[in-house]
PDB file of all heavy atoms in Angstrom:
ATOM      1  N   ARG A 239     -35.304  26.987  43.053  1.00 97.00           N
ATOM      2  CA  ARG A 239     -34.826  28.363  43.178  1.00 97.00           C
ATOM      3  C   ARG A 239     -34.140  28.562  44.528  1.00 97.00           C
ATOM      4  O   ARG A 239     -33.071  29.200  44.621  1.00 97.00           O
ATOM      5  CB  ARG A 239     -35.990  29.339  43.014  1.00 97.00           C
ATOM      6  CG  ARG A 239     -35.607  30.806  43.109  1.00 97.00           C
ATOM      7  CD  ARG A 239     -36.825  31.701  42.878  1.00 97.00           C
ATOM      8  NE  ARG A 239     -37.252  31.628  41.494  1.00 97.00           N
ATOM      9  CZ  ARG A 239     -36.809  32.453  40.534  1.00 97.00           C
ATOM     10  NH1 ARG A 239     -35.922  33.389  40.826  1.00 97.00           N
ATOM     11  NH2 ARG A 239     -37.278  32.345  39.307  1.00 97.00           N
ATOM     12  N   ARG A 240     -34.758  28.012  45.601  1.00 97.00           N
ATOM     13  CA  ARG A 240     -34.153  28.138  46.930  1.00 97.00           C
ATOM     14  C   ARG A 240     -32.799  27.447  46.990  1.00 97.00           C
ATOM     15  O   ARG A 240     -31.831  27.980  47.546  1.00 97.00           O
ATOM     16  CB  ARG A 240     -35.101  27.542  47.980  1.00 97.00           C
ATOM     17  CG  ARG A 240     -34.545  27.547  49.404  1.00 97.00           C
ATOM     18  CD  ARG A 240     -35.505  26.908  50.377  1.00 97.00           C
ATOM     19  NE  ARG A 240     -35.817  25.527  50.033  1.00 97.00           N
ATOM     20  CZ  ARG A 240     -35.017  24.489  50.277  1.00 97.00           C
ATOM     21  NH1 ARG A 240     -33.819  24.673  50.852  1.00 97.00           N
ATOM     22  NH2 ARG A 240     -35.396  23.271  49.952  1.00 97.00           N
ATOM     23  N   LEU A 241     -32.706  26.254  46.394  1.00 97.00           N
ATOM     24  CA  LEU A 241     -31.444  25.518  46.394  1.00 97.00           C
ATOM     25  C   LEU A 241     -30.358  26.284  45.638  1.00 97.00           C
ATOM     26  O   LEU A 241     -29.196  26.312  46.064  1.00 97.00           O
ATOM     27  CB  LEU A 241     -31.648  24.132  45.795  1.00 97.00           C
ATOM     28  CG  LEU A 241     -32.429  23.134  46.643  1.00 97.00           C
ATOM     29  CD1 LEU A 241     -32.764  21.879  45.842  1.00 97.00           C
ATOM     30  CD2 LEU A 241     -31.645  22.763  47.903  1.00 97.00           C
ATOM     31  N   ARG A 242     -30.715  26.907  44.524  1.00 97.00           N
ATOM     32  CA  ARG A 242     -29.716  27.677  43.770  1.00 97.00           C
ATOM     33  C   ARG A 242     -29.255  28.893  44.565  1.00 97.00           C
ATOM     34  O   ARG A 242     -28.076  29.263  44.520  1.00 97.00           O
ATOM     35  CB  ARG A 242     -30.281  28.101  42.411  1.00 97.00           C
ATOM     36  CG  ARG A 242     -30.301  26.970  41.391  1.00 97.00           C
ATOM     37  CD  ARG A 242     -30.658  27.468  39.999  1.00 97.00           C
ATOM     38  NE  ARG A 242     -31.999  28.014  39.922  1.00 97.00           N
ATOM     39  CZ  ARG A 242     -33.092  27.276  39.771  1.00 97.00           C
ATOM     40  NH1 ARG A 242     -33.005  25.962  39.680  1.00 97.00           N
ATOM     41  NH2 ARG A 242     -34.294  27.844  39.716  1.00 97.00           N
ATOM     42  N   GLU A 243     -30.169  29.520  45.286  1.00 97.00           N
ATOM     43  CA  GLU A 243     -29.779  30.655  46.127  1.00 97.00           C
ATOM     44  C   GLU A 243     -28.815  30.209  47.226  1.00 97.00           C
ATOM     45  O   GLU A 243     -27.827  30.891  47.517  1.00 97.00           O
ATOM     46  CB  GLU A 243     -31.019  31.305  46.726  1.00 97.00           C
ATOM     47  CG  GLU A 243     -31.873  32.049  45.698  1.00 97.00           C
ATOM     48  CD  GLU A 243     -33.189  32.535  46.272  1.00 97.00           C
ATOM     49  OE1 GLU A 243     -33.493  32.205  47.442  1.00 97.00           O
ATOM     50  OE2 GLU A 243     -33.933  33.248  45.554  1.00 97.00           O
ATOM     51  N   GLN A 244     -29.121  29.052  47.850  1.00 97.00           N
ATOM     52  CA  GLN A 244     -28.220  28.508  48.875  1.00 97.00           C
ATOM     53  C   GLN A 244     -26.867  28.152  48.262  1.00 97.00           C
ATOM     54  O   GLN A 244     -25.813  28.407  48.862  1.00 97.00           O
ATOM     55  CB  GLN A 244     -28.834  27.250  49.515  1.00 97.00           C
ATOM     56  CG  GLN A 244     -30.008  27.527  50.421  1.00 97.00           C
ATOM     57  CD  GLN A 244     -30.603  26.249  50.993  1.00 97.00           C
ATOM     58  OE1 GLN A 244     -31.790  26.204  51.324  1.00 97.00           O
ATOM     59  NE2 GLN A 244     -29.811  25.192  51.095  1.00 97.00           N
ATOM     60  N   LEU A 245     -26.920  27.560  47.081  1.00 97.00           N
ATOM     61  CA  LEU A 245     -25.683  27.180  46.403  1.00 97.00           C
ATOM     62  C   LEU A 245     -24.811  28.394  46.131  1.00 97.00           C
ATOM     63  O   LEU A 245     -23.610  28.386  46.429  1.00 97.00           O
ATOM     64  CB  LEU A 245     -26.005  26.458  45.094  1.00 97.00           C
ATOM     65  CG  LEU A 245     -24.819  26.110  44.189  1.00 97.00           C
ATOM     66  CD1 LEU A 245     -23.880  25.136  44.890  1.00 97.00           C
ATOM     67  CD2 LEU A 245     -25.302  25.542  42.868  1.00 97.00           C
ATOM     68  N   LEU A 246     -25.393  29.446  45.585  1.00 97.00           N
ATOM     69  CA  LEU A 246     -24.617  30.641  45.284  1.00 97.00           C
ATOM     70  C   LEU A 246     -24.030  31.247  46.559  1.00 97.00           C
ATOM     71  O   LEU A 246     -22.879  31.702  46.569  1.00 97.00           O
ATOM     72  CB  LEU A 246     -25.492  31.674  44.568  1.00 97.00           C
ATOM     73  CG  LEU A 246     -24.774  32.961  44.145  1.00 97.00           C
ATOM     74  CD1 LEU A 246     -23.583  32.668  43.249  1.00 97.00           C
ATOM     75  CD2 LEU A 246     -25.749  33.913  43.454  1.00 97.00           C
ATOM     76  N   GLY A 247     -24.803  31.249  47.640  1.00 97.00           N
ATOM     77  CA  GLY A 247     -24.271  31.734  48.914  1.00 97.00           C
ATOM     78  C   GLY A 247     -23.062  30.933  49.362  1.00 97.00           C
ATOM     79  O   GLY A 247     -22.053  31.497  49.825  1.00 97.00           O
ATOM     80  N   ASN A 248     -23.130  29.604  49.217  1.00 97.00           N
ATOM     81  CA  ASN A 248     -22.002  28.748  49.599  1.00 97.00           C
ATOM     82  C   ASN A 248     -20.795  28.966  48.685  1.00 97.00           C
ATOM     83  O   ASN A 248     -19.646  28.932  49.141  1.00 97.00           O
ATOM     84  CB  ASN A 248     -22.426  27.286  49.570  1.00 97.00           C
ATOM     85  CG  ASN A 248     -23.288  26.906  50.753  1.00 97.00           C
ATOM     86  OD1 ASN A 248     -23.326  27.611  51.761  1.00 97.00           O
ATOM     87  ND2 ASN A 248     -23.994  25.790  50.644  1.00 97.00           N
ATOM     88  N   ILE A 249     -21.056  29.166  47.396  1.00 97.00           N
ATOM     89  CA  ILE A 249     -19.964  29.426  46.449  1.00 97.00           C
ATOM     90  C   ILE A 249     -19.213  30.696  46.856  1.00 97.00           C
ATOM     91  O   ILE A 249     -17.977  30.709  46.937  1.00 97.00           O
ATOM     92  CB  ILE A 249     -20.527  29.577  45.022  1.00 97.00           C
ATOM     93  CG1 ILE A 249     -21.062  28.246  44.501  1.00 97.00           C
ATOM     94  CG2 ILE A 249     -19.464  30.131  44.072  1.00 97.00           C
ATOM     95  CD1 ILE A 249     -21.950  28.383  43.275  1.00 97.00           C
ATOM     96  N   LEU A 250     -19.961  31.765  47.119  1.00 98.00           N
ATOM     97  CA  LEU A 250     -19.338  33.032  47.478  1.00 98.00           C
ATOM     98  C   LEU A 250     -18.586  32.922  48.799  1.00 98.00           C
ATOM     99  O   LEU A 250     -17.488  33.477  48.953  1.00 98.00           O
ATOM    100  CB  LEU A 250     -20.400  34.133  47.557  1.00 98.00           C
ATOM    101  CG  LEU A 250     -21.103  34.458  46.234  1.00 98.00           C
ATOM    102  CD1 LEU A 250     -22.243  35.448  46.464  1.00 98.00           C
ATOM    103  CD2 LEU A 250     -20.114  35.026  45.217  1.00 98.00           C
ATOM    104  N   GLU A 251     -19.157  32.184  49.754  1.00 97.00           N
ATOM    105  CA  GLU A 251     -18.497  32.012  51.047  1.00 97.00           C
ATOM    106  C   GLU A 251     -17.209  31.215  50.907  1.00 97.00           C
ATOM    107  O   GLU A 251     -16.177  31.555  51.506  1.00 97.00           O
ATOM    108  CB  GLU A 251     -19.451  31.328  52.028  1.00 97.00           C
ATOM    109  CG  GLU A 251     -18.861  31.096  53.415  1.00 97.00           C
ATOM    110  CD  GLU A 251     -18.543  32.377  54.159  1.00 97.00           C
ATOM    111  OE1 GLU A 251     -19.046  33.464  53.770  1.00 97.00           O
ATOM    112  OE2 GLU A 251     -17.784  32.313  55.147  1.00 97.00           O
ATOM    113  N   LEU A 252     -17.240  30.148  50.136  1.00 97.00           N
ATOM    114  CA  LEU A 252     -16.038  29.333  49.932  1.00 97.00           C
ATOM    115  C   LEU A 252     -14.951  30.151  49.247  1.00 97.00           C
ATOM    116  O   LEU A 252     -13.778  30.126  49.660  1.00 97.00           O
ATOM    117  CB  LEU A 252     -16.374  28.091  49.107  1.00 97.00           C
ATOM    118  CG  LEU A 252     -15.182  27.192  48.734  1.00 97.00           C
ATOM    119  CD1 LEU A 252     -14.462  26.679  49.975  1.00 97.00           C
ATOM    120  CD2 LEU A 252     -15.641  26.022  47.868  1.00 97.00           C
ATOM    121  N   ARG A 253     -15.294  30.880  48.201  1.00 98.00           N
ATOM    122  CA  ARG A 253     -14.292  31.691  47.501  1.00 98.00           C
ATOM    123  C   ARG A 253     -13.701  32.749  48.436  1.00 98.00           C
ATOM    124  O   ARG A 253     -12.487  32.995  48.423  1.00 98.00           O
ATOM    125  CB  ARG A 253     -14.920  32.353  46.268  1.00 98.00           C
ATOM    126  CG  ARG A 253     -15.299  31.364  45.164  1.00 98.00           C
ATOM    127  CD  ARG A 253     -16.025  32.063  44.029  1.00 98.00           C
ATOM    128  NE  ARG A 253     -15.169  32.989  43.324  1.00 98.00           N
ATOM    129  CZ  ARG A 253     -14.495  32.694  42.205  1.00 98.00           C
ATOM    130  NH1 ARG A 253     -14.582  31.485  41.676  1.00 98.00           N
ATOM    131  NH2 ARG A 253     -13.732  33.605  41.614  1.00 98.00           N
TER     132      ARG A 253
END
Side-chain angles (χ1 to χ4, degrees):
R239 181 178 290 269
R240 177 182 59 78
L241 289 170
R242 283 189 296 278
E243 290 173 354
Q244 288 178 207
L245 174 63
L246 182 57
N248 285 343
I249 291 165
L250 296 173
E251 180 65 17
L252 176 59
R253 292 175 67 95

